[in-house]
Amino acid sequence: MRIQSRNGSIFIKWGMLLLALTLLLGVSGCTSLPFLYTDETTIESLEETSVINDNLMISGVVTALDTEVKNITVLNIDTRESTTFAYSISTLVQNKYGDGISMAQIQIGELIDLEYDRKNGRVKEVTISPDSWELNQITQFTMDRTNKTIQAGSYLYQYESSIVIVSDEELIEPIEISDQDELTIKGRGTTAYSIIVTKGHGYVSLENEELFIGGILTIGKIAKPITANMLVVVPEGDYTLEVTKGSTKGQKQIWVEKNEELSVDIRSFVAEARQIGTVNFKIEPENAKLYVNGKETNHKEVATFDYGTYAIRVEADGYVPFAEKYQIEKSYQQKTITLEAKEQESSGQESDSETKETSSMDQPGTVVVTLPSTDTTSNTETISTAQMTSTTSLSSETTVGSPSSVSSGDVSAYKIHIMEPSQTEVYFDGDYIGTVPVTLTKVSGEHTIILKKDGYVTKTYTVNITSDQIDSYYSFPALAEN
């Protein structure tokens, strides 16, 4: 009995061992139940992958920022599409070094990397692009608007037509940048993606500039010949304005504000450098015409002259003309001229003699011009340089620009037509041309066109006029009201 019991126990133990081995081999060979080996770490990993896939990243340029509504608009530099995103106080904002900053410190024109939730469009993170570059306080630059390049010093960058250009937190076009502006340029690699006008430009015009026509106007680094009705583009800031002509020279401190015109009266410069006299003409009959050095002068008002000798001539229908050399040598003089009534017609020889006498008194800086006239007593008049300049400027077709600005191709037989906005004054490289629509002789190269109209904001456009032997036409946007 004992032997049987012992043998039965042994059989039971061996059977249990075989069953355990069978179960172990069956489970280890089974591949249909992976959940048996899925742990908590694996579940968390899957959840993280899902979150990452729900966030998207773009690189772009900020074109608008509303810190009250908490919206930011970005131009995608890859797709060139503009998108507005909502952000919140929980949005992470960093500079290019990873330091936390506020959203208000992000400026329009900034190049950023933005991460957002693709489901609701909300911004998760904004970082000023770490691999972007920035050029500051650029005042010497060349912008080729045809080939879309901008050169600053030895650096040459390409830009897209959709480049973001900002002035006073408003977007402007490349043509609105003046070579007198100060710029900040931002980009990546060899591409510029944004330009910020950090200092803009204003305008300077002159009053009572007649005695300085042909002289030189200097404002800061700007030096230009003085012409009638000139308008000069000047960077905003504080300057010494100086005018010179021969031995005459005057200076004045000026402040130029952005997009504003400053009119400077330079009459005092003449008084400081020269002795000035005023003359009160008393002429009978009152409808008689007074000519001083051949230029018609209003004798019903006190006239101002430099000290010196002048050719005086007075004419009226039915009266004998009066002519003499008149010396101005006091601060105030009164001159009375009474014409005698004609008893008979003056001879042509007398008229010619008087004309020669008047011509001989021409002062330096005047031009003698023969005018067609049926009146034999005054078929020659002397027109001052100032008058000639003014007449030329008002011509409907005017040649402008210096020889250095003309390309090798001869385009002088072709025209530049400025069509819009109508009834607007046009200045070409600072010289007054006329009122739109206006036509001038074509001059190739980079030039500045200023549009001005009372009650409206003056605008400056920089254009690259091609050397193609065809006419060029320009239509600009209407000016904004002041």
Side-chain angles (χ1 to χ4, degrees):
M1 293 296 292
R2 290 180 180 177
I3 296 173
Q4 290 180 347
S5 175
R6 185 181 301 170
N7 291 338
S9 176
I10 293 172
F11 285 132
I12 292 172
K13 289 181 180 179
W14 276 106
M16 291 178 65
L17 179 61
L18 289 174
L19 178 62
L21 287 173
T22 302
L23 289 174
L24 180 62
L25 290 173
V27 171
S28 64
C30 178
T31 58
S32 61
L33 300 173
F35 61 88
L36 294 176
Y37 291 91
T38 300
D39 58 14
E40 186 176 347
T41 302
T42 305
I43 294 174
E44 290 177 355
S45 176
L46 291 174
E47 289 176 350
E48 288 176 359
T49 303
S50 176
V51 171
I52 292 173
N53 291 337
D54 283 341
N55 290 343
L56 295 178
M57 180 81 73
I58 66 167
S59 293
V61 182
V62 179
T63 59
L65 179 63
D66 190 330
T67 55
E68 293 184 2
V69 180
K70 292 185 172 53
N71 281 344
I72 184 170
T73 304
V74 180
L75 177 69
N76 190 315
I77 65 174
D78 295 318
T79 65
R80 317 310 295 173
E81 294 179 350
S82 186
T83 306
T84 299
F85 300 92
Y87 68 90
S88 65
I89 58 174
S90 63
T91 299
L92 177 63
V93 186
Q94 303 175 108
N95 62 19
K96 64 190 305 179
Y97 307 107
D99 301 322
I101 58 175
S102 69
M103 189 67 82
Q105 292 176 271
I106 301 289
Q107 66 178 144
I108 298 176
E110 195 69 78
L111 192 59
I112 64 169
D113 296 326
L114 182 146
E115 183 181 342
Y116 68 98
D117 188 325
R118 67 175 179 178
K119 292 181 178 179
N120 56 30
R122 287 193 172 276
V123 180
K124 296 285 188 179
E125 183 177 320
V126 172
T127 303
I128 296 177
S129 182
D131 57 349
S132 64
W133 49 258
E134 181 176 310
L135 303 178
N136 294 306
Q137 297 179 324
I138 303 300
T139 56
Q140 300 295 322
F141 60 90
T142 302
M143 195 167 187
D144 187 338
R145 294 161 180 82
T146 302
N147 296 315
K148 295 184 177 59
T149 62
I150 183 166
Q151 182 169 355
S154 59
Y155 299 99
L156 180 66
Y157 301 102
Q158 200 78 28
Y159 67 85
E160 301 281 345
S161 56
S162 57
I163 185 172
V164 175
I165 305 177
V166 185
S167 178
D168 288 338
E169 297 190 348
E170 294 184 359
L171 301 182
I172 63 173
E173 296 297 324
I175 198 174
E176 297 180 67
I177 293 180
S178 167
D179 59 2
Q180 301 300 327
D181 293 339
E182 178 187 282
L183 310 178
T184 291
I185 308 172
K186 302 188 179 192
R188 281 180 178 173
T190 59
T191 303
Y193 288 110
S194 74
I195 298 174
I196 301 170
V197 180
T198 49
K199 284 188 179 180
H201 58 270
Y203 308 90
V204 174
S205 60
L206 302 178
E207 295 180 20
N208 299 303
E209 75 277 19
E210 293 84 0
L211 292 173
F212 286 94
I213 298 294
I216 299 297
L217 168 67
T218 304
I219 305 173
K221 296 181 180 180
I222 300 171
K224 294 182 68 69
I226 298 175
T227 60
N229 302 316
M230 69 187 302
L231 188 64
V232 184
V233 180
V234 181
E236 59 178 314
D238 186 22
Y239 299 95
T240 297
L241 178 146
E242 180 178 283
V243 294
T244 58
K245 184 180 181 184
S247 60
T248 305
K249 181 178 180 180
Q251 292 183 341
K252 179 178 287 189
Q253 290 299 121
I254 62 171
W255 175 262
V256 179
E257 295 187 20
K258 187 174 182 178
N259 297 329
E260 298 292 331
E261 179 183 345
L262 175 65
S263 183
V264 181
D265 191 343
I266 60 175
R267 182 195 300 270
S268 62
F269 295 173
V270 180
E272 293 170 3
R274 299 177 178 175
Q275 292 180 301
I276 302 297
T278 55
V279 181
N280 184 9
F281 288 99
K282 302 290 185 181
I283 297 177
E284 292 292 339
E286 288 187 355
N287 64 347
K289 293 183 177 181
L290 168 66
Y291 297 91
V292 179
N293 283 349
K295 180 180 179 181
E296 185 174 348
T297 304
N298 184 4
H299 60 80
K300 297 180 182 179
E301 297 179 359
V302 175
T304 302
F305 304 91
D306 291 343
Y307 278 20
T309 302
Y310 293 81
I312 303 295
R313 181 178 177 84
V314 181
E315 297 177 350
D317 291 340
Y319 290 84
V320 177
F322 171 87
E324 73 169 17
K325 298 176 182 178
Y326 184 62
Q327 185 75 24
I328 298 175
E329 54 188 5
K330 298 179 181 179
S331 60
Y332 178 82
Q333 296 176 209
Q334 182 171 300
K335 176 67 174 177
T336 301
I337 302 173
T338 303
L339 299 183
E340 296 181 6
K342 285 184 180 180
E343 294 182 357
Q344 59 183 8
E345 293 292 327
S346 300
S347 66
Q349 293 179 346
E350 179 183 354
S351 176
D352 289 341
S353 175
E354 292 172 350
T355 301
K356 290 179 181 178
E357 181 181 7
T358 302
S359 299
S360 67
M361 291 301 300
D362 293 342
Q363 298 295 306
T366 61
V367 180
V368 177
V369 180
T370 301
L371 303 176
S373 174
T374 56
D375 182 2
T376 58
T377 64
S378 59
N379 64 346
T380 301
E381 290 185 23
T382 304
I383 300 179
S384 70
T385 305
Q387 285 179 298
M388 289 294 292
T389 304
S390 178
T391 302
T392 303
S393 297
L394 291 171
S395 170
S396 61
E397 295 187 4
T398 308
T399 301
V400 293
S402 62
S404 61
S405 66
V406 181
S407 69
S408 57
D410 184 10
V411 295
S412 59
Y414 301 90
K415 306 297 180 185
I416 299 171
H417 306 273
I418 301 177
M419 313 301 294
E420 295 289 344
S422 62
Q423 303 304 310
T424 302
E425 294 179 3
V426 178
Y427 295 81
F428 192 92
D429 290 340
D431 295 327
Y432 177 70
I433 300 302
T435 303
V436 178
V438 67
T439 299
L440 55 145
T441 300
K442 186 173 183 178
V443 182
S444 61
E446 184 174 283
H447 299 277
T448 299
I449 295 176
I450 304 174
L451 302 178
K452 176 185 172 184
K453 187 175 182 180
D454 289 343
Y456 293 81
V457 178
T458 302
K459 290 290 293 184
T460 300
Y461 295 98
T462 303
V463 297
N464 289 305
I465 299 173
T466 65
S467 58
D468 299 340
Q469 294 183 334
I470 56 174
D471 285 6
S472 297
Y473 293 82
Y474 291 92
S475 292
F476 297 100
L479 300 182
E481 294 186 13
N482 269 330

